Amino acid sequence: MIAPASAQAGPVHAAELPAQDFLEEARLLPRERAGGFLRVACAGRPDPQAVAELEVLFGLPVALEEMSEHDLLDEIRRACGQPTAAQYAAGLEGAAPAGADAELVAHDLAEIANQAPVVRLVNLLLAEAVEAGASDVHLEAEARSTRVRYRVDGVLQEAPSPPPHLRAAVVSRLKIMAELDIAERRLPQDGRVRLRTADRELDVRVSTLPTLHGESVVLRLLDVEGRRIGLEGLGMAPDTLAALLGFAARPHGVLLSTGPTGSGKTTTLYALLDHVRTGREKIVSVEDPVEYELPGVAQVPVHPRLGLTFARALRAILRQDPDVLLVGEMRDPETAEICTQAALTGHLVLSTLHTNDAPGALTRLVDLGVPDYLVASTVQAVLAQRLVRRVCAACVVESAPEPAVAREMAAAGFPAGRVLRGRGCPACRNTGYRGRTGIHELLTVSDALRAELLRAPGADGLRRVALEGGMRPLRADGWRQVAAGVTTPEEVLRVA
């Protein structure tokens, strides 16, 4: 048992602090004694037990002061003597050995990659990426350096770069962690590694690519503990959500989620499955790769090199007596045909397509070779979506919209005399945005739309019929989010 520290007023010194792991997990940092209280910085709602332990340790009641999680974790590291990645990388700049620019053999790279400075630098880069909420980490080889960037809320942001003489060792360290061949630098490689932070376990997908100046590496960070967003957190308008749930409650048919890569299609389908499953149905998914584990769902990862493609997996799944199928992507004619045939035989099929809008999904299926009458009879609805960044709540300010934006918002039925923007602050890394939400376009396959599809399966005609039937287009849904103060006009124009 540690004896309570002195109650004398003044700053809390590093020697008095509890272990760094405790402070990071509890998201608490004692800063000073003042006015008979222990002033403690916190992020979010603190654990009462952790607060009570600090009161016992310091012998003073705690007064909490809110700050952003990113800033708090940075301050904890500094208080405990651990540098940031940028500080640590800068400290290694002058440590270049003689001949550092020379080509190293694989054995030498492995030895350097496992040395403490390289290991610590890689760990700091990954830890800061997780704290920033990054979905990807990019390490891009340039002529004399390595550029590091984090993708936060869908946008790349600069991050600390390793010293030039360690760039090959940093790449090798990542390849060693992912169990890749560090001697092979001429061919792309893919691997994965599991990481654990203070309160999360991450599945990191590692992809290497040989470029003109060396290997570039991209890390995809996935939370394997399944902290998924529910349907209510996707930003859908109430009428869109109600209609989508109505289609998901039907016993058969095809529901499609469309949009470019990284637009949240799979997240939407997972949220839909979470909402509709009751435990009385058999749900099977086939994905490339399986991004998150879903309890109660039999998830099948495809292995094209072994011959397990989407189509082959689907044929096997249909012999497993499923009620609901989740197909990661309809990417070839055979998969598309099997999915539509499964819908005809009494299965509910959820899948994704890469199209720019909802009507384009119907023409895409026809282009894949699915007969138009089969598309018309099986597809129930198509949800197109994009992700827009949320205005940072910590630095929000009001401003007047541009006249052209105001006119377009009014034409869409969302007049706005003012819009909200973020000035930029440490909480949002000076971007003015923090977090993301969705804008959506739900296409209901009505009798009029089926008739148009059978008459002339063109995207323009289908879109005209859908708009006449009341479909709210993506851009109009974006103006809804701007009018609600959730995002900015610039974000809507960027994605829609």
Side-chain angles (χ1 to χ4, degrees):
M1 179 68 181
I2 302 175
S6 168
Q8 184 179 358
V12 175
H13 300 293
E16 303 175 85
L17 292 173
Q20 182 176 340
D21 289 347
F22 169 82
L23 297 175
E24 290 180 346
E25 186 171 353
R27 299 295 195 264
L28 295 170
L29 176 63
R31 304 172 87 173
E32 65 171 342
R33 305 176 185 86
F37 288 92
L38 177 68
R39 301 196 177 279
V40 176
C42 69
R45 181 175 296 177
D47 179 5
Q49 180 62 36
V51 173
E53 290 180 19
L54 290 180
E55 289 180 337
V56 172
L57 177 62
F58 286 88
L60 288 171
V62 164
L64 296 173
E65 300 172 347
E66 182 76 19
M67 66 186 303
S68 76
E69 182 175 4
H70 178 267
D71 290 346
L72 176 64
L73 291 171
D74 267 355
E75 194 166 330
I76 290 174
R77 275 198 298 268
R78 288 194 296 270
C80 295
Q82 179 178 337
T84 65
Q87 293 168 337
Y88 192 69
L92 295 174
E93 286 286 355
D101 293 332
E103 187 73 13
L104 299 176
V105 298
H107 176 75
D108 294 332
L109 275 179
E111 185 175 338
I112 295 173
N114 286 310
Q115 289 178 357
V118 176
V119 172
R120 190 175 186 191
L121 177 58
V122 169
N123 290 345
L124 284 172
L125 285 171
L126 293 176
E128 291 192 3
V130 172
E131 291 162 16
S135 60
D136 303 85
V137 180
H138 293 245
L139 293 92
E140 300 158 337
E142 297 181 341
R144 296 187 178 277
S145 62
T146 298
R147 186 184 189 187
V148 181
R149 295 189 288 175
Y150 301 152
R151 187 177 294 279
V152 181
D153 295 334
V155 177
L156 287 172
Q157 300 178 10
E158 296 294 334
S161 296
H165 70 280
L166 288 180
R167 66 176 186 169
V170 167
V171 171
S172 294
R173 174 61 187 167
L174 292 169
K175 292 170 74 172
I176 289 170
M177 292 170 65
E179 300 182 351
L180 301 180
D181 183 1
I182 65 170
E184 180 54 77
R185 287 170 251 168
R186 300 164 300 172
L187 297 174
Q189 297 187 66
D190 294 291
R192 61 192 297 179
V193 61
R194 286 284 178 104
L195 294 179
R196 174 163 288 282
T197 63
D199 60 347
R200 297 167 63 190
E201 186 174 346
L202 298 172
D203 184 12
V204 181
R205 309 288 167 86
V206 182
S207 172
T208 71
L209 182 71
T211 65
L212 179 63
H213 298 295
E215 287 181 288
S216 287
V217 184
V218 174
L219 313 176
R220 168 64 57 89
L221 310 179
L222 298 171
D223 189 346
V224 300
E225 295 179 356
R227 295 187 178 183
R228 296 178 304 279
I229 302 172
L231 278 175
E232 294 76 11
L234 295 177
M236 286 187 201
D239 56 344
T240 300
L241 179 58
L244 185 65
L245 290 177
F247 289 116
R250 296 184 180 183
H252 55 80
V254 176
L255 288 183
L256 294 173
S257 177
T258 77
T261 300
S263 59
K265 301 184 297 296
T266 303
T267 298
T268 296
L269 294 185
Y270 279 0
L272 200 57
L273 274 187
D274 268 342
H275 191 90
V276 302
R277 64 180 176 176
T278 64
R280 297 188 296 271
E281 61 281 297
K282 171 84 170 188
I283 304 176
V284 186
S285 79
V286 52
E287 305 168 61
D288 180 24
V290 174
E291 294 191 10
Y292 301 100
E293 296 179 14
L294 290 170
V297 178
Q299 295 175 270
V300 180
V302 301
H303 292 287
R305 292 179 183 175
L306 301 178
L308 185 59
T309 61
F310 273 106
R312 185 172 181 180
L314 277 170
R315 284 194 293 270
I317 287 170
L318 289 174
R319 295 192 291 270
Q320 295 280 309
D321 187 31
D323 298 298
V324 181
L325 298 175
L326 189 154
V327 182
E329 183 185 347
M330 290 192 194
R331 60 174 61 163
D332 58 76
E334 191 176 6
T335 301
E337 185 175 356
I338 294 173
C339 286
T340 51
Q341 291 288 352
L344 272 182
T345 55
H347 302 86
L348 179 63
V349 180
L350 311 179
S351 189
T352 71
L353 275 174
H354 290 284
T355 62
N356 290 327
D357 59 10
L362 303 180
T363 59
R364 174 65 177 149
L365 288 177
V366 174
D367 291 342
L368 284 173
V370 181
D372 51 9
Y373 66 87
L374 198 55
V375 175
S377 59
T378 57
V379 178
Q380 303 294 323
V382 182
L383 182 74
Q385 64 183 75
R386 301 288 191 278
L387 293 177
V388 293
R389 292 181 290 173
R390 289 177 170 272
V391 174
C392 175
C395 59
V396 62
V397 294
E398 292 186 5
S399 66
E402 296 290 331
V405 168
R407 287 194 298 270
E408 189 171 342
M409 290 181 66
F414 302 103
R418 52 92 178 149
V419 296
L420 300 184
R421 288 186 171 86
R423 288 191 307 265
C425 66
C428 60
R429 299 170 67 90
N430 295 313
T431 63
Y433 300 97
R434 194 175 187 190
R436 289 191 289 178
T437 189
I439 60 175
H440 304 86
E441 174 180 277
L442 181 63
L443 170 73
T444 299
V445 183
S446 61
D447 290 339
L449 200 65
R450 292 188 179 96
E452 177 66 21
L453 178 63
L454 295 173
R455 186 185 68 82
D460 291 341
L462 293 174
R463 186 167 187 82
R464 174 182 51 78
V465 173
L467 291 173
E468 291 172 354
M471 182 184 76
R472 183 190 302 113
L474 273 171
R475 191 128 147 180
D477 199 53
W479 299 136
R480 174 185 65 86
Q481 296 281 44
V482 172
V486 175
T487 190
T488 63
E490 291 78 11
E491 277 295 287
V492 174
L493 297 173
R494 179 177 68 88
V495 302

